[in-house]
Amino acid sequence: MSLDWTKAFAPRALKLTASEIRELLKLINQPDIISFAGGIPDPALFPHAVLAETFHEILSNPETRGAALQYSVSEGYQPLREWLAQTYLPKVGIATHADNILITNGSQQGLEFLAKLFIGTGDRIIVTNPSYLGALQAFSLYEPTFVTVPVQGEGVDLAALETEMAKGAKFFYLTPDFGNPCGVTVPLDQRRAMLELAYRYGVPVIEDSAYDQLRYDGEPVPPLLALDNERVNQPRPLSEATAQGQVIYTGTFSKSIVPALRIGWVVAPQPVLQKLVLMKQASDLHTPTLNQMAMFKVADKIIFDHAAGIRSIYRDRRDAMLAAMKDFMPQGVTWTEPEGGMFVWVTLPEGLDAAELLAKAIPEIRVAFVPGAAFYPDRSGKNTIRLSFSVPPPERIREGIKRLGGLLTAAVEALKVKA
Amino acid sequence: MSLDWTKAFAPRALKLTASEIRELLKLINQPDIISFAGGIPDPALFPHAVLAETFHEILSNPETRGAALQYSVSEGYQPLREWLAQTYLPKVGIATHADNILITNGSQQGLEFLAKLFIGTGDRIIVTNPSYLGALQAFSLYEPTFVTVPVQGEGVDLAALETEMAKGAKFFYLTPDFGNPCGVTVPLDQRRAMLELAYRYGVPVIEDSAYDQLRYDGEPVPPLLALDNERVNQPRPLSEATAQGQVIYTGTFSKSIVPALRIGWVVAPQPVLQKLVLMKQASDLHTPTLNQMAMFKVADKIIFDHAAGIRSIYRDRRDAMLAAMKDFMPQGVTWTEPEGGMFVWVTLPEGLDAAELLAKAIPEIRVAFVPGAAFYPDRSGKNTIRLSFSVPPPERIREGIKRLGGLLTAAVEALKVKA
C-alpha cells in the first residue's frame, strides 16, 4: 500500500543520521541535572530589553514595518551588510565590502551552502579531527571523502595538512579560535603556514569564526581572512567588492547576542559570493527581513559592550571549571585550557569509553556531557569528552565537576584493575 | 594569484543562474511604473497592529522571551505544528498529525529539502509546463532530468502524465490551485486520476499549496493530500503520526499573513518527515523560534478573518484585470480566468516574444510584467506573459492593462504585416 521510500530517496539521504548532541539535549531538561552538554549561550544573558524595544520600534513605525515583513533580496538587509563590512569586521582586521557578504540563517546555513557549492560526490575535503559536528553534518549531505588532520593543544598538525593538501581537496575547514569542540586556538605562525600551504596547493580555506566575541584572555590572533587580506586587499573596509582572496569566512550573532533570530554571515570573494546568493535564493529566498533589521539595530547599539559583559560572566565559569578540574580529576585525565569559547575538551586514558560513562553519569550522578566521538569524522576519539561551561553558574559547575571527577576516578581505578 | 573558482565548484553550482523575476524586481522600483511583475502580497494588507502587539507580548514576557530567542528543535515550534494539524489543515480536509509536520523557512525551503532528499544527478522528475520558477530553481541544484507535462486552462494533460510516470520518476510536482504562474485550478476528477497514476507507477506527488487562502470564487477542490488521506488516514486530525500516504504537501503564511517572517511547512509521511528533520538540522538548525511563536499566535487569532478580508480586495483586483483584458486586448491574445491566487496567464500569438515586448514596455508605456519563458523548464513559452494583480489598485490595473493592450495591439498588427 505504501511506497518504499528508502528506494525513492537520493543516496545522500541515506547519510542523514540524527545528531547525538541534539537528541541528547531533548532528554536532559530535568532541573536536577547539571548539564555540560549543550553548546548554547546562557539565556539569562540575552539583551531582552533592547530586543523587545527594537522589534517594537520597527513594527510600529509605518516607514519600516512594511519592508520588515515583505519579500526582500537574497543577499541580505543592506544596512546590516554595510555595518558588518564597515564597523564589525574591521575590528578583527578584516578588509571587506558589503557586496562580499551574504546574510544567512545562522552560520550553519553558510556551511551548508559552502558544502553544496564545492562538494561533488566523493570529493576530498579536509577537516580537523575533531571538528564542529554541525559542519560535519552539513558537509556529509554532499557525500565528500572526509580527510582529517589532528588538532590538539598546540594546534593543527601542519605536516599532516601539507600531505593532504598536496593530494588536492575542495576545501580545508577549521574553527581556529577556541572552536567547538576542543577549545584550541591556532597560533599565528600556524595560520600563516596554513595559508601558504593553501596557496601552494590551491585549496580554499573555510574559517568558522562562531566564537569571535568570546575571548576571555590572551591576545587576539588575526583571523585567517585578515591574513589573506594582507596579501590582496589593503584598505579596511574596501571601497568596492573584491574578487581576490582564498579564505571564506563564516560568522554569527548566535553566541554574542541570541541564537534564535538565526542571523549569520558569509564573507567571500565575489565569484564565490555570487553563487552563494543564487543558492540562498533557491534555498529559502532570503533570511527573515524583520530579524535582520532588528539584529542590525541591536548589534549597532550594544554588541561591543554587551559582549564585554557576557565575557566576564563566561570567563568566571571557565575559571570555575578549570579550577574544579584541577581539584577533582584523577591522574591520567587531561584537558584543554581554552582562551575563550564555551568548551573544555577532556581526554581520558585509552580504554575508557565516554559514551558508556555518559550512560552511567546521567542516572547515577545527574551530570550530562557530550561524548567526543561524534566530533570525529572517523568516529575515533571514544575516550574524549566535551564539557560546556556556558550555562551553569560557578558553584554548580564545581559541584558537577566534583561528581564527574568521582565517576572518572572510579572508572580509571577499574581500568587499572582490569589491566 | 587567485584560484580558478569555476574549477573548484561542484558541477551543480554551474547550474545556478539568476532568477529573471528577482533581478527584474530590483529594477522596477520607480513609482511611475505600473508593475504586474512581482508575485508578492500587498504590504498595505499586512496585519501590522496584531503583529506588533504579538512580538511585544512574547518579548516582554519573562516566561516566553527566553525560549523565543534560544536554540530550539529542528522540527519546529510544537504549538504551531499542533495548530496546523488540529485547526488549520483539517479545514481543507487534510488528516495529519503534528509529528507529520516540519516548519520551514517559507515553503521554498521545503521544496529545496525535497529536491535534496529525492534527486540524484540525472534522476527524472515530472513538473508541469509551466511551473513555479522557485521550485525549478530549487530542483535544478540537484541536477535532475526535467520531464514536463503541459498544464492549460482545462488542467494537466493526463495522457502525457501517464506516459512519463510509466517511465518512472522521483516525484511529480504541481501547484493544483490557481498556481504560480498560470492560475489554473486542477479539477477534482483530474486530481483523482493523477493519484491513481501515482499509485500505479509508484511516483510520490509534491503538492505546493502556497495560495490555499486565496480562493475568490467557485467551490474549493480538495487538496491531493486530502484525497490521498481518504485512502489511508481517516480521522481528522490523526491521533498519532502516520507513515502512510504518497502525497507530500507544502504550505506557507507568505501569501495569507506576511512573507518576511519566512514561515512555511511540509506535511509528509513519517519516513519522509524524519529525513527532512535531519536535513533541517544540517541546513540551518531550526527556523527562528520567535518568528514561529509570533506567527502561531497571530494565525490562531486572525487568519481566517484576515484571509477573508484580503480575499475581497484581491478579488476586486482580479476582476478589474479581467474586465480590462476584455476591453483592451487585441484578438489573438488569450488568458486564464483564475478562481484565486495572484496571476493571470497570457498567451500571445505565436511569433511574438514577451521578453522583447518587456524591453519596450518598461521605457515606452511604464508597465512591467514577467515574460513566461522563465517558467518553462525547456525555455519554450516565449509568447507567454505572467501578470500579477495583487498589488496595484483597480484603477491602476485598468490603466496598466490599457497601456499593455495598446502595445500588444501594435505588436499583433506588426506581426500581421510581417506575415
Side-chain angles (χ1 to χ4, degrees):
Chain A
M1 194 75 166
S2 254
L3 267 186
D4 180 350
W5 290 102
T6 312
K7 283 189 191 155
F9 296 153
R12 76 176 67 84
L14 309 176
K15 306 264 171 180
L16 281 167
T17 50
S19 150
E20 290 154 44
I21 296 182
R22 292 181 66 84
E23 294 307 308
L24 193 72
L25 276 175
K26 292 182 190 170
L27 301 173
I28 56 166
N29 283 329
Q30 300 102 314
D32 72 317
I33 287 211
I34 301 177
S35 176
F36 303 131
I40 60 176
D42 183 350
L45 306 179
F46 293 164
H48 289 295
V50 65
L51 280 163
E53 190 187 299
T54 304
F55 274 91
H56 190 68
E57 270 171 31
I58 296 169
L59 288 174
S60 56
N61 181 347
E63 297 195 0
T64 53
R65 65 190 186 188
L69 298 168
Q70 183 60 290
Y71 284 118
S72 180
V73 295
S74 302
E75 288 83 348
Y77 181 57
Q78 192 61 17
L80 175 58
R81 298 170 81 204
E82 285 171 8
W83 179 86
L84 286 167
Q86 291 166 16
T87 302
Y88 187 85
L89 293 168
K91 291 215 191 242
V92 291
I94 289 173
T96 194
H97 185 273
D99 290 345
N100 289 109
I101 297 174
L102 170 70
I103 306 299
T104 53
N105 299 336
S107 56
Q108 181 71 30
Q109 188 177 49
L111 298 174
E112 202 264 349
F113 285 175
L114 291 167
K116 187 151 50 188
L117 179 58
F118 285 107
I119 303 173
T121 305
D123 281 350
R124 288 163 51 89
I125 63 169
I126 307 174
V127 300
T128 55
N129 208 17
S131 273
Y132 167 51
L133 178 57
L136 299 179
Q137 290 180 312
F139 301 162
S140 285
L141 271 177
Y142 299 93
E143 304 176 85
T145 301
F146 282 103
V147 176
T148 60
V149 296
V151 57
Q152 283 178 349
E154 321 76 55
V156 172
D157 183 334
L158 287 176
L161 183 62
E162 173 148 26
T163 305
E164 297 303 344
M165 279 196 178
K167 292 181 199 159
K170 278 308 183 85
F171 58 73
F172 168 44
Y173 165 82
L174 81 167
T175 54
D177 293 292
F178 21 88
N180 180 356
C182 67
V184 166
T185 301
V186 176
L188 180 60
D189 58 337
Q190 282 199 12
R191 296 184 192 211
R192 292 198 189 277
M194 281 175 182
L195 281 182
E196 284 311 314
L197 295 175
Y199 300 144
R200 188 175 317 151
Y201 298 109
V203 178
V205 175
I206 299 177
E207 177 173 32
D208 179 343
S209 187
Y211 298 90
D212 62 341
Q213 292 296 317
L214 299 188
R215 171 176 280 279
Y216 311 132
D217 42 41
E219 278 303 301
V221 186
L224 280 91
L225 178 55
L227 302 173
D228 190 39
N229 284 167
E230 285 174 12
R231 205 176 53 130
V232 285
N233 303 310
Q234 290 302 331
R236 265 157 238 181
L238 299 178
S239 59
E240 57 183 28
T242 178
Q244 303 300 311
Q246 200 166 311
V247 174
I248 301 164
Y249 179 94
T250 63
T252 177
F253 290 129
S254 291
K255 319 299 178 185
S256 57
I257 303 182
V258 292
L261 298 181
R262 312 300 304 123
I263 304 289
W265 51 88
V266 182
V267 185
Q270 272 289 300
V272 175
L273 200 89
Q274 284 164 0
K275 289 290 184 187
L276 293 176
V277 169
L278 294 173
M279 220 164 240
K280 176 74 180 167
Q281 188 176 300
S283 296
D284 61 5
L285 304 184
H286 62 84
T287 292
T289 328
L290 175 62
N291 300 228
Q292 295 187 70
M293 287 171 78
M295 205 55 124
F296 160 62
K297 279 172 182 275
V298 169
D300 186 40
K301 203 182 283 182
I302 66 156
I303 193 165
F304 300 111
D305 288 346
H306 180 70
I310 64 175
R311 275 197 295 270
S312 87
I313 290 164
Y314 288 144
R315 182 188 295 116
D316 287 349
R317 294 177 185 174
R318 178 204 58 177
D319 291 346
M321 182 171 278
L322 292 176
M325 298 288 287
K326 262 191 193 151
D327 291 346
F328 300 118
M329 284 295 142
Q331 253 207 324
V333 173
T334 59
W335 57 90
T336 55
E337 299 197 346
E339 292 176 326
M342 297 181 168
F343 307 106
V344 170
W345 182 250
V346 183
T347 305
L348 309 176
E350 287 286 344
L352 287 186
D353 182 321
E356 285 173 15
L357 289 166
L358 178 65
K360 288 178 95 167
I362 290 182
E364 290 177 17
I365 62 168
R366 308 302 279 161
V367 169
F369 55 81
V370 178
F375 302 94
Y376 287 82
D378 59 2
R379 292 297 161 119
S380 65
K382 283 194 197 311
N383 63 325
T384 60
I385 283 175
R386 191 190 75 176
L387 297 177
S388 166
F389 52 79
S390 56
V391 175
E395 61 283 6
R396 290 277 284 174
I397 290 177
R398 188 167 179 84
E399 173 61 25
I401 295 297
K402 186 178 169 188
R403 293 185 201 170
L404 186 60
L407 185 86
L408 293 180
T409 301
V412 170
E413 286 307 314
L415 194 69
K416 278 184 196 156
V417 172
K418 224 162 82 182
Chain B
M1 195 71 166
S2 253
L3 268 186
D4 180 350
W5 290 103
T6 312
K7 284 189 188 154
F9 296 153
R12 76 176 69 82
L14 309 176
K15 307 264 169 177
L16 282 167
T17 50
S19 152
E20 289 154 45
I21 295 183
R22 293 181 66 84
E23 294 307 307
L24 191 72
L25 275 175
K26 292 181 189 170
L27 301 173
I28 55 165
N29 283 330
Q30 300 103 311
D32 71 317
I33 287 214
I34 301 177
S35 176
F36 302 131
I40 62 177
D42 183 349
L45 306 180
F46 293 164
H48 289 294
V50 64
L51 279 163
E53 188 187 300
T54 304
F55 274 91
H56 191 68
E57 269 171 31
I58 295 169
L59 288 173
S60 56
N61 181 347
E63 297 194 2
T64 53
R65 66 191 187 187
L69 299 168
Q70 183 60 289
Y71 284 118
S72 181
V73 294
S74 302
E75 288 84 349
Y77 180 57
Q78 192 60 18
L80 175 58
R81 298 169 81 204
E82 285 171 8
W83 179 86
L84 286 166
Q86 291 166 18
T87 302
Y88 187 83
L89 294 168
K91 290 214 193 242
V92 289
I94 289 174
T96 193
H97 186 272
D99 291 345
N100 289 109
I101 298 173
L102 170 71
I103 306 299
T104 53
N105 299 336
S107 58
Q108 181 72 29
Q109 188 177 48
L111 298 174
E112 201 265 348
F113 286 176
L114 291 167
K116 186 151 54 185
L117 179 58
F118 286 107
I119 303 172
T121 306
D123 281 349
R124 288 165 49 89
I125 62 170
I126 306 174
V127 300
T128 55
N129 209 17
S131 273
Y132 166 51
L133 177 59
L136 299 180
Q137 288 179 313
F139 302 161
S140 285
L141 271 177
Y142 299 93
E143 304 174 87
T145 301
F146 282 102
V147 175
T148 60
V149 294
V151 59
Q152 282 179 350
E154 323 76 54
V156 171
D157 181 335
L158 287 176
L161 183 63
E162 172 150 25
T163 304
E164 297 304 344
M165 278 196 178
K167 293 183 199 157
K170 281 306 184 86
F171 58 74
F172 168 45
Y173 165 82
L174 81 166
T175 53
D177 293 291
F178 21 87
N180 181 354
C182 67
V184 166
T185 301
V186 176
L188 180 60
D189 59 337
Q190 282 200 11
R191 295 184 193 212
R192 292 197 189 279
M194 280 175 181
L195 280 182
E196 286 311 314
L197 294 174
Y199 301 145
R200 186 176 317 150
Y201 298 109
V203 177
V205 176
I206 298 176
E207 176 174 30
D208 180 342
S209 186
Y211 299 89
D212 61 342
Q213 292 297 316
L214 299 188
R215 171 176 280 279
Y216 312 131
D217 43 40
E219 278 302 301
V221 187
L224 280 90
L225 178 54
L227 302 174
D228 190 40
N229 284 167
E230 284 175 13
R231 204 176 53 130
V232 286
N233 303 310
Q234 289 304 332
R236 269 160 234 181
L238 299 178
S239 59
E240 58 182 29
T242 179
Q244 305 300 310
Q246 200 166 311
V247 174
I248 301 165
Y249 180 95
T250 63
T252 178
F253 290 128
S254 290
K255 317 300 177 186
S256 57
I257 303 182
V258 292
L261 298 181
R262 311 301 304 121
I263 304 290
W265 51 88
V266 181
V267 185
Q270 272 288 299
V272 175
L273 201 88
Q274 285 164 0
K275 289 291 184 187
L276 293 176
V277 169
L278 294 172
M279 219 162 239
K280 177 74 180 166
Q281 188 176 299
S283 296
D284 62 4
L285 304 185
H286 62 85
T287 292
T289 328
L290 174 62
N291 300 228
Q292 295 186 71
M293 288 171 78
M295 206 53 125
F296 160 62
K297 278 172 183 277
V298 169
D300 185 40
K301 204 181 283 183
I302 66 155
I303 193 164
F304 300 109
D305 287 347
H306 180 70
I310 63 176
R311 274 196 297 269
S312 87
I313 289 164
Y314 288 144
R315 182 189 295 117
D316 286 349
R317 294 178 185 173
R318 178 204 57 178
D319 291 347
M321 182 170 280
L322 292 176
M325 298 287 289
K326 263 190 195 151
D327 291 345
F328 300 118
M329 284 296 141
Q331 254 208 322
V333 172
T334 60
W335 57 91
T336 55
E337 300 197 344
E339 293 177 326
M342 298 181 168
F343 307 107
V344 170
W345 183 249
V346 183
T347 305
L348 309 176
E350 285 288 343
L352 287 185
D353 183 321
E356 284 172 16
L357 289 166
L358 178 65
K360 288 178 97 166
I362 290 182
E364 290 177 18
I365 61 168
R366 308 302 279 161
V367 169
F369 54 81
V370 179
F375 301 95
Y376 286 82
D378 59 3
R379 294 295 161 119
S380 66
K382 284 195 198 307
N383 62 325
T384 60
I385 284 177
R386 192 191 74 177
L387 297 177
S388 168
F389 52 79
S390 56
V391 174
E395 61 284 5
R396 289 277 284 174
I397 290 177
R398 187 167 180 84
E399 173 61 25
I401 294 297
K402 185 178 170 187
R403 294 186 201 168
L404 186 60
L407 185 85
L408 293 180
T409 302
V412 170
E413 289 305 315
L415 194 69
K416 279 184 198 156
V417 171
K418 223 163 83 182

